[in-house]
Amino acid sequence: MSTRPRIPAMAGAVCAALLLAGCSSSGTVGAGGSSSGGVGGLTGATSGGNSGPDTGCTQAMLAIQNAEKAQTNTNLQAAVSAANTSIGQLRAAALATQKPGGRDAMNKVADDLQAIVTQVAAGHQPDTTSALRDAQIVAGICGM
């Protein structure tokens, strides 16, 4: 009974950290223009030498945004379902990216989110350090 109220808060902290990492790892917050959420300026922020945005990066950032939205879920089952959806989106993004190192980095974030889901399901407070660090790596690879 005491575990249920803090689980959405923990999931929210993880998701917010992932979103924040995706938006600010380049050192210039908002470099892609004004955005609502963390993904609105994505197309202008992926200029790492490619002529256009990387599809995998776009998908990965949307998955991170979807994970962030899960923090508003007060229903544990819905929050876990949303996290699992984000994991699937990250795996699909990893298959689509053309960025060097992107595939491995995106899959690592998906692995981190899976570990968080597993820890929460077992009633433990999850360690979010790896998820945050690995999301920052994805953001860096994607030029965020």
Side-chain angles (χ1 to χ4, degrees):
M1 185 168 178
S2 65
T3 304
R4 186 177 178 119
R6 69 180 174 173
I7 290 174
M10 287 184 285
V14 168
C15 296
L18 288 174
L19 182 62
L20 188 63
C23 294
S24 64
S25 69
S26 68
T28 52
V29 177
S34 105
S35 65
S36 62
V39 189
L42 184 62
T43 58
T46 58
S47 60
N50 292 339
S51 61
D54 181 80
T55 302
C57 284
T58 302
Q59 291 175 354
M61 297 314 296
L62 288 173
I64 291 169
Q65 183 182 36
N66 290 337
E68 188 271 338
K69 288 178 184 175
Q71 74 179 324
T72 60
N73 263 324
T74 56
N75 180 318
L76 175 60
Q77 203 168 25
V80 169
S81 177
N84 284 325
T85 298
S86 292
I87 291 166
Q89 290 170 331
L90 281 162
R91 302 255 187 242
L95 293 174
T97 190
Q98 298 300 311
K99 295 283 187 173
R103 179 176 293 195
D104 289 339
M106 291 172 194
N107 278 322
K108 181 65 176 121
V109 174
D111 291 345
D112 295 338
L113 288 176
Q114 183 59 60
I116 290 168
V117 167
T118 300
Q119 291 169 1
V120 168
H124 299 102
Q125 182 172 356
D127 179 6
T128 61
T129 307
S130 294
L132 176 58
R133 180 185 61 241
D134 294 333
Q136 289 172 333
I137 291 169
V138 169
I141 288 170
C142 290
M144 299 292 140

